[in-house]
Structures are given as structure tokens and as C-alpha cells.
Amino acid sequence: ADYKEHRSSVSDWLSYFGSDKVSRHSYGEFYDSLFKQLRPTNVLEVGVYGGASLSAWHMAGAYTVGVDIAPKCDDAGDQIIVARMPQEADRLISELPQQDIIIDDGSHKFSDYTQTYDKLKMLLKPNGAYIIEDIQNEREATALRAAGWNIADWRSTSGRYDDVIAWQTN
């Protein structure tokens, strides 16, 4: 039987579609709270791989745009754009409307995600949230914290070196 109709939280949808955000990482409750608070209608995600999270955001009620250099999905979410970040960020800015949530789950390189943020932040709606996933080490988390980012860190409970999110609202 298909029990889709019984899913009530974003983390349920992330699990249903097989997203690493809940299977390898501990981000489920974070996204449950964020979606409950913001009730987003538009979500942009950089780095979508197979599209599991795009499908989850879509089922949670948002119009989803995924950006990836080589997406392995063509039927996830609402729109897939092939682009390299931060090099092609200006193209996205000219093509897309403002977003309630922007998630960077792309290269996980500090210079890439900070430059992508510097460009894409203008796409964020007032009171929107920008999230950078899978922060790679304490040095990067410390630098982001010093720059005013909030840090959610599950490394001590999950045992994963990269189970860290940086986020901020505007």
C-alpha cells in the first residue's frame, strides 16, 4: 500500500524519497521547524544529485528549483537548471523570482558556498532563510559563526564530520 497521505512533516517526505538529509545527516527536525515557521512557497536548492529533497520540498507545498552541474534526476521537483555555482549565479538571478528558502548542498567548498551566497542572497525574500549544508570542518564553522551565521551541529551525536548546517534569515 502507498501511505503518502499519512506524511505530515518535511522529514517524513525526506525519508520517503530517500534523502541523505535524514538518512546520513540529522537535518530532519531542522527542516520540519523551518518549514513550519516559514511555510515556503518557493525553494531553490543548489546541488540536487538524485532529487530526493526536491521531491520532498515539492510534496511539502513549495515550488522547487534545483541547480546542479550534472543532475541525476529529471522528474524531481518542478524545475531543474544545469549550472555551476558560483560561476553561473548571475544567470539564476536574472531568470528566477525571489525565494523563501535557498539551500546550498553543492560542492561543500568554503569558497564556492560563500561566493554563491554573496550572489544568491539577493534572490532571498524578506524573512527568508539561506542554508549551507555539510560544513566540512570546525575551521569553516568558526569562520561562518564569526560572520554572523547560526550553526546547527550534530557531529557529537551522529559521529559524522560534516553533520553541520550554517543558516541565517534576512
Side-chain angles (χ1 to χ4, degrees):
D2 186 357
Y3 295 100
K4 281 189 195 179
E5 67 276 5
H6 298 291
R7 300 188 196 295
S8 59
S9 69
V10 173
S11 58
D12 285 343
W13 287 114
L14 289 166
S15 180
Y16 177 80
F17 288 109
S19 172
D20 71 338
K21 292 174 185 355
V22 294
S23 63
R24 284 186 285 206
H25 295 287
S26 306
Y27 306 159
E29 288 183 20
F30 173 85
Y31 282 115
D32 286 343
S33 176
L34 184 67
F35 271 67
K36 185 176 182 180
Q37 176 187 347
L38 296 182
R39 302 201 183 283
T41 57
N42 291 21
V43 175
L44 169 66
E45 184 167 8
V46 174
V48 298
Y49 189 62
S53 55
L54 285 180
S55 295
W57 312 143
H58 176 82
M59 294 305 291
Y63 182 88
T64 59
V65 177
V67 179
D68 202 299
I69 58 173
K72 303 206 178 339
C73 57
D74 56 3
D75 61 349
D78 296 296
Q79 182 179 359
I80 303 290
I81 299 172
V82 176
R84 181 178 299 277
M85 294 292 112
Q87 296 87 341
E88 296 182 72
D90 291 332
R91 178 171 63 112
L92 296 182
I93 294 164
S94 69
E95 293 177 2
L96 296 174
Q98 287 197 305
Q99 304 291 309
D100 296 299
I101 297 175
I102 299 175
I103 301 163
D104 191 327
D105 190 14
S107 76
H108 307 303
K109 294 178 183 173
F110 187 82
S111 62
D112 284 351
Y113 63 68
T114 55
Q115 290 176 43
T116 299
Y117 166 74
D118 286 342
K119 293 192 175 237
L120 293 186
K121 68 183 176 186
M122 68 180 46
L123 276 180
L124 203 57
K125 289 180 183 177
N127 301 313
Y130 198 105
I131 298 101
I132 301 170
E133 293 186 352
D134 308 342
I135 306 303
Q136 299 293 296
N137 57 57
E138 186 58 34
R139 179 182 47 78
E140 292 177 7
T142 299
L144 289 165
R145 192 178 288 112
W149 290 79
N150 300 292
I151 302 294
D153 186 345
W154 297 274
R155 291 176 294 184
S156 64
T157 55
S158 71
R160 284 194 57 93
Y161 74 94
D162 63 347
D163 213 1
V164 181
I165 287 177
W167 62 276
Q168 59 179 240
T169 56
N170 64 354

